[in-house]
Amino acid sequence: MNQNKLKSDFLHIAQERGFIHQATDIETLDALMAKQSITGYAGFDPTGESLHVGHLMPIMWLRWMQKTGHKPLVLMGGATSKIGDPSGKDAARQLLSDEEITSNIGNISQVFSNFLDFKDSPNKAVIVNNADWLTPLNYIEFLRDYGRHFSVNRMLSFDSVKLRLDREQPLSFLEFNYMIFQAYDFMDLYRRMDCVLQLGGSDQWGNIINGVELTRRVLGKTVYGVTSPLIMTSSGQKMGKTANGAVWLNQNLLSSYDYWQFWRNTEDLDVGRYLKLFTELPIDEIERLEKLQGSEINEAKKILADHATALAHGAECLENIHATISNLFEKHSSADLSSLPVVTITRAELEAGLAWDELFVRSGLVASKGEAKRLIQGGGGSQNGERITDPRGTLSFSSTNGDIKVSVGKKKHFLVRCDDGARLHV
Protein backbone atom coordinates (compact mmCIF):
# COMPACT_ATOMS: atom_id res chain seq x y z
CA MET A 1 0.00 0.00 0.00
CA ASN A 2 1.18 3.52 -0.78
CA GLN A 3 2.42 5.05 2.46
CA ASN A 4 2.02 8.67 1.30
CA LYS A 5 -0.16 10.78 3.54
CA LEU A 6 -3.79 10.31 2.57
CA LYS A 7 -5.93 13.42 2.07
CA SER A 8 -9.55 12.42 2.73
CA ASP A 9 -10.55 12.83 6.38
CA PHE A 10 -11.58 9.21 6.77
CA LEU A 11 -8.51 7.55 5.25
CA HIS A 12 -6.14 10.09 6.82
CA ILE A 13 -7.52 9.27 10.28
CA ALA A 14 -7.44 5.53 9.50
CA GLN A 15 -3.83 5.75 8.35
CA GLU A 16 -2.74 7.89 11.30
CA ARG A 17 -4.36 5.60 13.86
CA GLY A 18 -3.10 2.30 12.37
CA PHE A 19 -6.29 0.90 10.85
CA ILE A 20 -5.05 0.19 7.34
CA HIS A 21 -3.39 -3.08 6.37
CA GLN A 22 -4.30 -3.65 2.69
CA ALA A 23 -6.36 -1.71 0.17
CA THR A 24 -7.39 -1.78 -3.47
CA ASP A 25 -6.42 1.36 -5.44
CA ILE A 26 -6.31 3.46 -2.30
CA GLU A 27 -5.21 6.63 -4.11
CA THR A 28 -8.35 6.66 -6.26
CA LEU A 29 -10.51 5.83 -3.24
CA ASP A 30 -8.82 8.63 -1.29
CA ALA A 31 -9.54 11.15 -4.05
CA LEU A 32 -13.18 10.00 -4.24
CA MET A 33 -13.71 10.27 -0.48
CA ALA A 34 -12.09 13.71 -0.39
CA LYS A 35 -14.52 14.89 -3.08
CA GLN A 36 -17.84 13.38 -1.97
CA SER A 37 -19.68 11.33 0.61
CA ILE A 38 -19.69 7.60 -0.14
CA THR A 39 -21.39 4.50 1.28
CA GLY A 40 -19.34 1.67 2.78
CA TYR A 41 -20.09 -1.48 4.73
CA ALA A 42 -18.71 -4.10 7.06
CA GLY A 43 -20.29 -7.52 7.49
CA PHE A 44 -21.06 -9.45 10.67
CA ASP A 45 -22.36 -13.01 10.71
CA PRO A 46 -24.83 -13.49 13.61
CA THR A 47 -23.46 -16.84 14.73
CA GLY A 48 -23.73 -15.94 18.43
CA GLU A 49 -25.91 -13.79 20.64
CA SER A 50 -23.25 -11.09 20.95
CA LEU A 51 -20.24 -9.69 19.18
CA HIS A 52 -16.96 -9.48 21.10
CA VAL A 53 -14.03 -7.08 21.21
CA GLY A 54 -12.48 -8.91 18.26
CA HIS A 55 -15.23 -7.25 16.17
CA LEU A 56 -14.36 -3.73 17.34
CA MET A 57 -12.05 -2.89 14.43
CA PRO A 58 -14.78 -2.97 11.74
CA ILE A 59 -17.20 -1.28 14.16
CA MET A 60 -14.73 1.57 14.71
CA TRP A 61 -14.16 1.70 10.93
CA LEU A 62 -17.89 2.36 10.47
CA ARG A 63 -17.96 4.91 13.30
CA TRP A 64 -15.12 6.92 11.78
CA MET A 65 -16.82 6.72 8.37
CA GLN A 66 -19.93 8.34 9.77
CA LYS A 67 -18.01 10.94 11.80
CA THR A 68 -16.23 12.05 8.62
CA GLY A 69 -19.45 12.48 6.65
CA HIS A 70 -19.86 9.09 4.94
CA LYS A 71 -22.71 6.59 5.19
CA PRO A 72 -22.06 3.33 7.10
CA LEU A 73 -23.92 0.10 6.38
CA VAL A 74 -23.97 -2.77 8.86
CA LEU A 75 -24.48 -6.00 6.94
CA MET A 76 -25.94 -8.82 8.99
CA GLY A 77 -25.23 -12.19 7.43
CA GLY A 78 -28.63 -13.74 8.01
CA ALA A 79 -28.03 -16.01 5.01
CA THR A 80 -24.24 -16.50 5.08
CA SER A 81 -24.34 -17.43 8.77
CA LYS A 82 -26.14 -20.58 7.62
CA ILE A 83 -23.00 -21.52 5.70
CA GLY A 84 -20.03 -20.32 7.73
CA ASP A 85 -17.01 -18.32 6.65
CA PRO A 86 -13.96 -20.62 6.52
CA SER A 87 -11.63 -17.62 7.07
CA GLY A 88 -9.52 -18.22 10.17
CA LYS A 89 -11.47 -21.34 11.10
CA ASP A 90 -10.14 -24.84 11.68
CA ALA A 91 -13.53 -26.50 11.42
CA ALA A 92 -16.99 -25.92 10.03
CA ARG A 93 -19.41 -23.82 12.04
CA GLN A 94 -22.37 -25.41 13.76
CA LEU A 95 -25.45 -24.85 11.62
CA LEU A 96 -28.05 -22.53 13.18
CA SER A 97 -31.82 -22.48 12.83
CA ASP A 98 -33.68 -19.49 11.39
CA GLU A 99 -35.04 -18.72 14.86
CA GLU A 100 -31.54 -18.67 16.39
CA ILE A 101 -30.23 -16.41 13.64
CA THR A 102 -33.14 -13.97 14.02
CA SER A 103 -32.62 -13.84 17.79
CA ASN A 104 -28.87 -13.28 17.38
CA ILE A 105 -29.45 -10.43 14.92
CA GLY A 106 -31.75 -8.73 17.41
CA ASN A 107 -29.20 -9.01 20.21
CA ILE A 108 -26.24 -7.95 18.09
CA SER A 109 -28.06 -4.96 16.60
CA GLN A 110 -28.30 -3.40 20.06
CA VAL A 111 -24.52 -2.93 20.14
CA PHE A 112 -24.44 -0.69 17.09
CA SER A 113 -26.75 1.92 18.61
CA ASN A 114 -23.89 2.88 20.94
CA PHE A 115 -21.39 3.35 18.12
CA LEU A 116 -23.48 4.65 15.20
CA ASP A 117 -26.23 7.23 14.64
CA PHE A 118 -29.37 5.75 13.08
CA LYS A 119 -31.37 9.01 13.17
CA ASP A 120 -32.60 10.56 9.92
CA SER A 121 -29.75 12.33 8.14
CA PRO A 122 -28.05 12.02 4.75
CA ASN A 123 -25.43 9.69 6.23
CA LYS A 124 -27.51 7.85 8.84
CA ALA A 125 -26.37 4.32 9.60
CA VAL A 126 -28.43 1.45 8.20
CA ILE A 127 -28.57 -2.24 9.10
CA VAL A 128 -29.23 -4.62 6.20
CA ASN A 129 -29.58 -8.41 6.10
CA ASN A 130 -28.18 -10.44 3.20
CA ALA A 131 -30.97 -12.99 3.67
CA ASP A 132 -33.18 -10.43 1.89
CA TRP A 133 -31.40 -11.01 -1.42
CA LEU A 134 -29.57 -14.33 -1.03
CA THR A 135 -32.51 -16.44 0.19
CA PRO A 136 -34.71 -15.82 -2.91
CA LEU A 137 -31.90 -16.69 -5.35
CA ASN A 138 -32.45 -19.52 -7.80
CA TYR A 139 -29.26 -21.50 -7.27
CA ILE A 140 -29.05 -22.82 -10.84
CA GLU A 141 -29.40 -19.32 -12.26
CA PHE A 142 -27.00 -17.99 -9.66
CA LEU A 143 -24.29 -20.49 -10.61
CA ARG A 144 -24.85 -19.84 -14.33
CA ASP A 145 -24.79 -16.05 -14.03
CA TYR A 146 -22.12 -15.58 -11.37
CA GLY A 147 -20.30 -18.87 -10.70
CA ARG A 148 -18.56 -18.66 -14.07
CA HIS A 149 -16.69 -15.53 -12.88
CA PHE A 150 -14.82 -17.48 -10.17
CA SER A 151 -11.71 -19.54 -10.82
CA VAL A 152 -11.43 -22.57 -8.55
CA ASN A 153 -7.65 -22.41 -8.98
CA ARG A 154 -7.63 -18.87 -7.60
CA MET A 155 -10.10 -19.64 -4.83
CA LEU A 156 -7.81 -22.43 -3.65
CA SER A 157 -4.96 -19.94 -3.37
CA PHE A 158 -6.71 -17.69 -0.81
CA ASP A 159 -5.50 -18.09 2.76
CA SER A 160 -9.01 -18.80 4.06
CA VAL A 161 -9.06 -21.99 1.98
CA LYS A 162 -5.37 -22.78 1.65
CA LEU A 163 -4.68 -22.92 5.39
CA ARG A 164 -7.48 -25.41 5.98
CA LEU A 165 -6.25 -27.63 3.16
CA ASP A 166 -2.61 -27.37 4.23
CA ARG A 167 -3.61 -28.61 7.68
CA GLU A 168 -5.57 -31.45 6.04
CA GLN A 169 -8.71 -30.22 7.80
CA PRO A 170 -12.00 -30.77 5.97
CA LEU A 171 -13.53 -27.89 4.01
CA SER A 172 -17.10 -28.57 2.94
CA PHE A 173 -18.52 -27.53 -0.42
CA LEU A 174 -21.01 -25.45 1.58
CA GLU A 175 -18.20 -23.38 3.09
CA PHE A 176 -16.43 -23.19 -0.26
CA ASN A 177 -19.46 -21.30 -1.56
CA TYR A 178 -19.16 -18.67 1.16
CA MET A 179 -16.73 -16.44 -0.72
CA ILE A 180 -19.00 -16.42 -3.77
CA PHE A 181 -21.93 -15.26 -1.68
CA GLN A 182 -19.87 -12.58 0.06
CA ALA A 183 -18.70 -11.31 -3.32
CA TYR A 184 -22.33 -11.21 -4.47
CA ASP A 185 -23.21 -9.23 -1.32
CA PHE A 186 -20.77 -6.49 -2.30
CA MET A 187 -22.01 -6.34 -5.88
CA ASP A 188 -25.66 -6.30 -4.81
CA LEU A 189 -25.07 -3.58 -2.21
CA TYR A 190 -23.56 -1.48 -5.00
CA ARG A 191 -26.68 -2.07 -7.12
CA ARG A 192 -29.10 -1.45 -4.28
CA MET A 193 -27.43 1.32 -2.29
CA ASP A 194 -24.50 2.60 -4.37
CA CYS A 195 -22.12 1.06 -1.83
CA VAL A 196 -18.55 1.35 -3.11
CA LEU A 197 -16.44 0.30 -0.12
CA GLN A 198 -16.11 -2.88 1.93
CA LEU A 199 -14.19 -2.84 5.22
CA GLY A 200 -12.97 -5.90 7.08
CA GLY A 201 -10.17 -7.67 8.85
CA SER A 202 -7.08 -8.95 7.07
CA ASP A 203 -8.57 -12.47 6.97
CA GLN A 204 -11.31 -11.08 4.69
CA TRP A 205 -8.92 -9.84 1.99
CA GLY A 206 -9.60 -12.70 -0.43
CA ASN A 207 -13.38 -12.39 -0.02
CA ILE A 208 -13.22 -8.63 -0.54
CA ILE A 209 -11.09 -8.97 -3.67
CA ASN A 210 -13.65 -11.40 -5.09
CA GLY A 211 -16.39 -8.81 -4.56
CA VAL A 212 -14.35 -6.06 -6.22
CA GLU A 213 -13.65 -8.25 -9.24
CA LEU A 214 -17.22 -9.60 -9.54
CA THR A 215 -18.64 -6.06 -9.54
CA ARG A 216 -16.21 -5.04 -12.27
CA ARG A 217 -16.90 -8.09 -14.44
CA VAL A 218 -20.70 -8.13 -14.12
CA LEU A 219 -21.53 -4.42 -13.81
CA GLY A 220 -18.43 -2.80 -15.23
CA LYS A 221 -18.15 -0.68 -12.05
CA THR A 222 -15.26 0.03 -9.68
CA VAL A 223 -15.61 -0.63 -5.98
CA TYR A 224 -12.95 -0.69 -3.28
CA GLY A 225 -11.81 -2.74 -0.32
CA VAL A 226 -9.72 -1.88 2.74
CA THR A 227 -8.65 -4.26 5.51
CA SER A 228 -7.27 -3.76 9.00
CA PRO A 229 -4.42 -5.76 10.55
CA LEU A 230 -5.01 -8.70 12.85
CA ILE A 231 -4.65 -7.29 16.36
CA MET A 232 -2.32 -9.27 18.60
CA THR A 233 -1.19 -8.35 22.09
CA SER A 234 2.48 -7.57 22.65
CA SER A 235 2.83 -11.01 24.27
CA GLY A 236 1.59 -12.68 21.08
CA GLN A 237 -2.00 -13.49 22.06
CA LYS A 238 -5.02 -12.76 19.88
CA MET A 239 -6.55 -9.55 21.19
CA GLY A 240 -9.76 -10.17 23.15
CA LYS A 241 -9.10 -13.80 23.97
CA THR A 242 -8.85 -14.39 27.73
CA ALA A 243 -8.64 -17.41 29.98
CA ASN A 244 -12.33 -16.94 30.72
CA GLY A 245 -13.42 -16.75 27.07
CA ALA A 246 -14.51 -13.94 24.78
CA VAL A 247 -14.93 -10.35 25.96
CA TRP A 248 -18.54 -9.74 24.92
CA LEU A 249 -19.89 -6.37 23.80
CA ASN A 250 -23.45 -7.01 24.99
CA GLN A 251 -23.84 -5.80 28.57
CA ASN A 252 -26.15 -8.68 29.53
CA LEU A 253 -23.28 -11.12 28.90
CA LEU A 254 -20.46 -9.05 30.39
CA SER A 255 -20.96 -6.30 32.97
CA SER A 256 -19.70 -2.78 32.36
CA TYR A 257 -17.34 -3.25 35.29
CA ASP A 258 -15.77 -6.40 33.81
CA TYR A 259 -15.56 -4.76 30.39
CA TRP A 260 -13.76 -1.79 31.97
CA GLN A 261 -11.40 -4.14 33.77
CA PHE A 262 -10.50 -5.89 30.51
CA TRP A 263 -9.18 -2.60 29.12
CA ARG A 264 -7.62 -1.59 32.45
CA ASN A 265 -5.57 -4.81 32.35
CA THR A 266 -4.07 -4.02 28.93
CA GLU A 267 -0.39 -4.88 28.64
CA ASP A 268 1.89 -1.84 28.98
CA LEU A 269 3.25 -2.06 25.44
CA ASP A 270 -0.25 -2.14 23.92
CA VAL A 271 -1.72 0.96 25.57
CA GLY A 272 -0.78 3.51 22.90
CA ARG A 273 -1.92 1.29 20.04
CA TYR A 274 -5.24 0.51 21.69
CA LEU A 275 -5.87 4.18 22.45
CA LYS A 276 -5.48 4.93 18.74
CA LEU A 277 -7.70 2.08 17.58
CA PHE A 278 -10.42 1.89 20.22
CA THR A 279 -10.87 5.47 21.45
CA GLU A 280 -11.30 8.87 19.80
CA LEU A 281 -8.70 10.68 21.87
CA PRO A 282 -6.60 13.13 19.80
CA ILE A 283 -3.31 11.73 18.55
CA ASP A 284 -1.20 14.29 20.41
CA GLU A 285 -2.83 13.30 23.71
CA ILE A 286 -2.27 9.62 22.93
CA GLU A 287 1.38 10.29 22.16
CA ARG A 288 1.71 11.97 25.56
CA LEU A 289 0.07 9.05 27.34
CA GLU A 290 2.11 6.34 25.65
CA LYS A 291 5.32 7.99 26.86
CA LEU A 292 4.37 7.42 30.49
CA GLN A 293 6.63 5.01 32.32
CA GLY A 294 6.47 2.82 35.42
CA SER A 295 3.37 3.11 37.56
CA GLU A 296 2.26 6.21 35.61
CA ILE A 297 1.22 3.98 32.70
CA ASN A 298 -1.69 2.86 34.89
CA GLU A 299 -3.27 6.30 34.44
CA ALA A 300 -3.15 5.80 30.67
CA LYS A 301 -4.79 2.38 31.12
CA LYS A 302 -7.60 3.94 33.14
CA ILE A 303 -8.17 6.53 30.42
CA LEU A 304 -8.23 3.75 27.82
CA ALA A 305 -10.72 1.79 29.93
CA ASP A 306 -12.93 4.85 30.43
CA HIS A 307 -13.10 5.81 26.78
CA ALA A 308 -13.47 2.26 25.40
CA THR A 309 -16.21 1.45 27.93
CA ALA A 310 -18.06 4.71 27.28
CA LEU A 311 -18.22 3.89 23.57
CA ALA A 312 -19.57 0.37 24.08
CA HIS A 313 -21.78 0.80 27.16
CA GLY A 314 -22.42 4.54 27.39
CA ALA A 315 -20.60 7.15 29.49
CA GLU A 316 -23.27 7.01 32.20
CA CYS A 317 -21.91 3.69 33.49
CA LEU A 318 -18.52 5.18 34.40
CA GLU A 319 -19.70 6.85 37.59
CA ASN A 320 -20.76 3.52 39.09
CA ILE A 321 -17.57 1.82 37.90
CA HIS A 322 -15.36 4.50 39.46
CA ALA A 323 -17.36 4.38 42.70
CA THR A 324 -17.05 0.60 42.81
CA ILE A 325 -13.30 0.72 42.27
CA SER A 326 -12.89 3.40 44.91
CA ASN A 327 -14.96 1.42 47.38
CA LEU A 328 -13.08 -1.80 46.69
CA PHE A 329 -9.71 -0.27 47.39
CA GLU A 330 -10.67 2.20 50.09
CA LYS A 331 -12.91 -0.41 51.84
CA HIS A 332 -15.72 2.02 52.68
CA SER A 333 -18.29 0.31 54.85
CA SER A 334 -21.11 1.92 52.85
CA ALA A 335 -19.73 0.73 49.52
CA ASP A 336 -21.98 0.88 46.45
CA LEU A 337 -21.04 -2.29 44.57
CA SER A 338 -23.99 -2.23 42.18
CA SER A 339 -21.89 -2.48 39.03
CA LEU A 340 -20.15 -5.72 40.05
CA PRO A 341 -21.28 -8.98 38.41
CA VAL A 342 -23.55 -11.06 40.64
CA VAL A 343 -23.58 -14.82 41.23
CA THR A 344 -27.07 -15.75 42.43
CA ILE A 345 -27.47 -18.89 44.52
CA THR A 346 -30.56 -20.66 45.87
CA ARG A 347 -31.65 -21.36 49.43
CA ALA A 348 -31.40 -25.09 48.66
CA GLU A 349 -27.77 -24.68 47.61
CA LEU A 350 -27.04 -22.81 50.83
CA GLU A 351 -28.62 -25.51 52.94
CA ALA A 352 -26.75 -28.25 51.05
CA GLY A 353 -23.47 -26.36 51.42
CA LEU A 354 -21.99 -24.50 48.45
CA ALA A 355 -18.18 -24.43 48.42
CA TRP A 356 -15.92 -21.54 47.44
CA ASP A 357 -14.27 -23.39 44.56
CA GLU A 358 -17.71 -23.99 43.00
CA LEU A 359 -18.59 -20.31 43.40
CA PHE A 360 -15.35 -19.22 41.79
CA VAL A 361 -16.06 -21.41 38.76
CA ARG A 362 -19.66 -20.19 38.56
CA SER A 363 -18.47 -16.56 38.51
CA GLY A 364 -16.63 -17.26 35.23
CA LEU A 365 -13.42 -15.78 36.62
CA VAL A 366 -11.68 -19.14 36.83
CA ALA A 367 -11.96 -22.08 34.46
CA SER A 368 -12.04 -25.02 36.87
CA LYS A 369 -12.29 -26.08 40.50
CA GLY A 370 -8.63 -27.06 40.34
CA GLU A 371 -7.67 -23.53 39.32
CA ALA A 372 -9.90 -22.12 42.08
CA LYS A 373 -8.29 -24.41 44.66
CA ARG A 374 -4.76 -23.37 43.65
CA LEU A 375 -5.73 -19.70 43.67
CA ILE A 376 -7.34 -19.88 47.13
CA GLN A 377 -4.51 -21.92 48.63
CA GLY A 378 -2.08 -19.35 47.25
CA GLY A 379 -3.87 -16.54 49.07
CA GLY A 380 -5.60 -15.15 45.98
CA GLY A 381 -9.20 -15.28 47.23
CA SER A 382 -11.00 -13.10 49.75
CA GLN A 383 -14.54 -12.32 50.91
CA ASN A 384 -15.45 -8.88 52.23
CA GLY A 385 -11.74 -8.15 52.56
CA GLU A 386 -10.93 -11.31 54.54
CA ARG A 387 -8.78 -14.05 53.07
CA ILE A 388 -10.47 -17.33 52.09
CA THR A 389 -8.32 -20.23 53.31
CA ASP A 390 -10.37 -23.37 52.56
CA PRO A 391 -11.46 -24.00 48.92
CA ARG A 392 -14.16 -26.38 50.22
CA GLY A 393 -15.40 -24.01 52.90
CA THR A 394 -19.12 -23.30 52.54
CA LEU A 395 -21.54 -20.41 52.87
CA SER A 396 -24.55 -20.20 55.14
CA PHE A 397 -27.13 -17.50 55.86
CA SER A 398 -28.17 -15.25 58.72
CA SER A 399 -30.35 -12.20 59.32
CA THR A 400 -27.52 -9.78 59.93
CA ASN A 401 -25.15 -9.79 56.97
CA GLY A 402 -25.76 -8.76 53.34
CA ASP A 403 -24.37 -9.82 49.98
CA ILE A 404 -20.82 -11.07 50.01
CA LYS A 405 -18.17 -9.36 47.91
CA VAL A 406 -15.66 -11.92 46.65
CA SER A 407 -12.27 -11.00 45.20
CA VAL A 408 -10.33 -13.23 42.81
CA GLY A 409 -6.82 -11.86 42.89
CA LYS A 410 -6.48 -8.09 43.18
CA LYS A 411 -8.50 -6.92 40.18
CA LYS A 412 -11.47 -9.27 39.71
CA HIS A 413 -14.53 -9.18 41.95
CA PHE A 414 -18.12 -10.41 42.13
CA LEU A 415 -21.05 -10.43 44.54
CA VAL A 416 -22.75 -13.54 45.93
CA ARG A 417 -26.48 -13.12 46.48
CA CYS A 418 -29.28 -15.47 47.56
CA ASP A 419 -32.27 -15.57 45.22
CA ASP A 420 -34.81 -15.30 48.07
CA GLY A 421 -33.12 -12.35 49.73
CA ALA A 422 -31.53 -14.31 52.54
CA ARG A 423 -28.63 -12.60 54.22
CA LEU A 424 -25.34 -14.42 53.75
CA HIS A 425 -22.36 -15.00 55.98
CA VAL A 426 -19.38 -17.32 56.10
Side-chain angles (χ1 to χ4, degrees):
M1 188 194 76
N2 193 319
Q3 294 299 313
N4 292 333
K5 185 175 179 180
L6 299 168
K7 297 178 176 59
S8 64
D9 289 343
F10 173 67
L11 289 176
H12 171 70
I13 289 170
Q15 183 183 52
E16 186 177 44
R17 300 181 85 94
F19 277 84
I20 302 176
H21 178 60
Q22 293 169 297
T24 63
D25 195 3
I26 197 165
E27 292 85 1
T28 304
L29 175 62
D30 187 39
L32 178 66
M33 297 188 79
K35 181 175 65 175
Q36 65 187 61
S37 174
I38 71 161
T39 299
Y41 86 99
F44 304 86
D45 277 346
T47 54
E49 59 181 312
S50 173
L51 301 178
H52 52 74
V53 294
H55 295 103
L56 275 179
M57 287 289 281
I59 293 174
M60 291 301 294
W61 270 119
L62 295 175
R63 181 174 173 86
W64 280 115
M65 270 198 73
Q66 189 169 44
K67 286 175 71 70
T68 54
H70 304 283
K71 184 178 181 68
L73 300 181
V74 177
L75 173 64
M76 291 292 183
T80 44
S81 59
K82 297 178 182 179
I83 299 172
D85 181 2
S87 302
K89 305 294 188 301
D90 290 336
R93 283 176 173 163
Q94 181 180 353
L95 298 182
L96 301 175
S97 68
D98 289 342
E99 292 76 16
E100 288 173 315
I101 291 170
T102 299
S103 175
N104 289 343
I105 289 175
N107 291 327
I108 290 170
S109 296
Q110 299 171 18
V111 169
F112 291 97
S113 61
N114 291 322
F115 289 90
L116 302 174
D117 186 357
F118 291 89
K119 298 174 184 175
D120 281 334
S121 68
N123 70 325
K124 74 171 183 177
V126 175
I127 295 178
V128 295
N129 185 344
N130 65 11
D132 293 343
W133 55 84
L134 291 181
T135 301
L137 284 175
N138 179 309
Y139 190 57
I140 299 298
E141 291 182 3
F142 176 78
L143 287 180
R144 182 195 63 199
D145 294 342
Y146 304 108
R148 61 191 177 88
H149 295 288
F150 293 86
S151 162
V152 171
N153 306 66
R154 187 146 191 256
M155 292 166 76
L156 289 170
S157 73
F158 288 122
D159 286 344
S160 58
V161 174
K162 191 171 183 293
L163 290 174
R164 284 274 285 277
L165 298 179
D166 287 347
R167 295 170 184 163
E168 297 184 354
Q169 291 160 334
L171 178 71
S172 71
F173 180 71
L174 186 66
E175 292 175 282
F176 198 62
N177 277 264
Y178 186 95
M179 63 181 70
I180 302 178
F181 285 120
Q182 184 169 329
Y184 184 86
D185 282 344
F186 198 177
M187 183 188 71
D188 210 49
L189 283 173
Y190 175 84
R191 273 195 299 219
R192 291 167 177 263
M193 308 182 75
D194 196 29
C195 178
V196 298
L197 175 63
Q198 183 179 356
L199 302 161
S202 58
D203 61 336
Q204 295 297 311
W205 179 245
N207 293 337
I208 291 173
I209 290 294
N210 279 329
V212 170
E213 293 183 351
L214 183 66
T215 305
R216 176 180 56 80
R217 289 171 178 165
V218 175
L219 303 180
K221 300 296 183 180
T222 299
V223 292
Y224 307 89
V226 184
T227 66
S228 54
L230 176 65
I231 304 301
M232 306 289 289
T233 67
S234 57
S235 60
Q237 301 298 311
K238 193 172 183 180
M239 186 263 186
K241 294 293 185 182
T242 69
N244 299 313
V247 180
W248 303 111
L249 298 184
N250 280 62
Q251 196 169 348
N252 64 312
L253 294 181
L254 187 73
S255 71
S256 298
Y257 177 84
D258 285 338
Y259 190 78
W260 189 95
Q261 284 289 358
F262 165 76
W263 295 104
R264 169 61 180 82
N265 294 332
T266 295
E267 297 177 29
D268 291 1
L269 295 177
D270 295 326
V271 174
R273 184 163 53 117
Y274 287 4
L275 283 166
K276 290 176 182 175
L277 295 173
F278 304 117
T279 81
E280 295 171 343
L281 279 174
I283 290 294
D284 56 353
E285 174 64 7
I286 294 173
E287 290 174 346
R288 182 189 72 80
L289 290 170
E290 62 185 347
K291 291 176 184 176
L292 297 176
Q293 299 293 322
S295 61
E296 290 184 341
I297 196 67
N298 289 327
E299 292 307 309
K301 292 182 183 182
K302 292 175 184 176
I303 292 171
L304 167 63
D306 279 355
H307 284 260
T309 303
L311 281 174
H313 290 183
E316 62 275 5
C317 71
L318 295 178
E319 184 176 353
N320 274 344
I321 292 172
H322 293 163
T324 298
I325 293 166
S326 176
N327 290 327
L328 285 169
F329 289 97
E330 295 177 18
K331 298 183 180 179
H332 292 168
S333 59
S334 59
D336 175 13
L337 306 178
S338 60
S339 65
L340 283 181
V342 175
V343 174
T344 301
I345 59 180
T346 66
R347 175 68 69 106
E349 287 176 318
L350 278 173
E351 292 175 345
L354 188 62
W356 286 115
D357 55 0
E358 170 65 26
L359 274 171
F360 275 44
V361 172
R362 195 176 297 188
S363 75
L365 299 180
V366 298
S368 66
K369 288 184 179 181
E371 182 184 345
K373 180 180 178 180
R374 290 190 294 273
L375 188 145
I376 291 170
Q377 290 177 335
S382 65
Q383 51 83 23
N384 291 341
E386 299 297 325
R387 179 177 169 183
I388 300 169
T389 58
D390 181 3
R392 298 303 298 167
T394 60
L395 291 170
S396 59
F397 57 88
S398 72
S399 59
T400 57
N401 296 308
D403 300 339
I404 293 175
K405 182 197 75 185
V406 181
S407 300
V408 181
K410 294 181 178 180
K411 297 179 180 179
K412 297 177 181 179
H413 315 273
F414 64 95
L415 296 180
V416 183
R417 178 175 299 159
C418 187
D419 65 350
D420 66 357
R423 300 291 182 173
L424 304 173
H425 78 146
V426 292

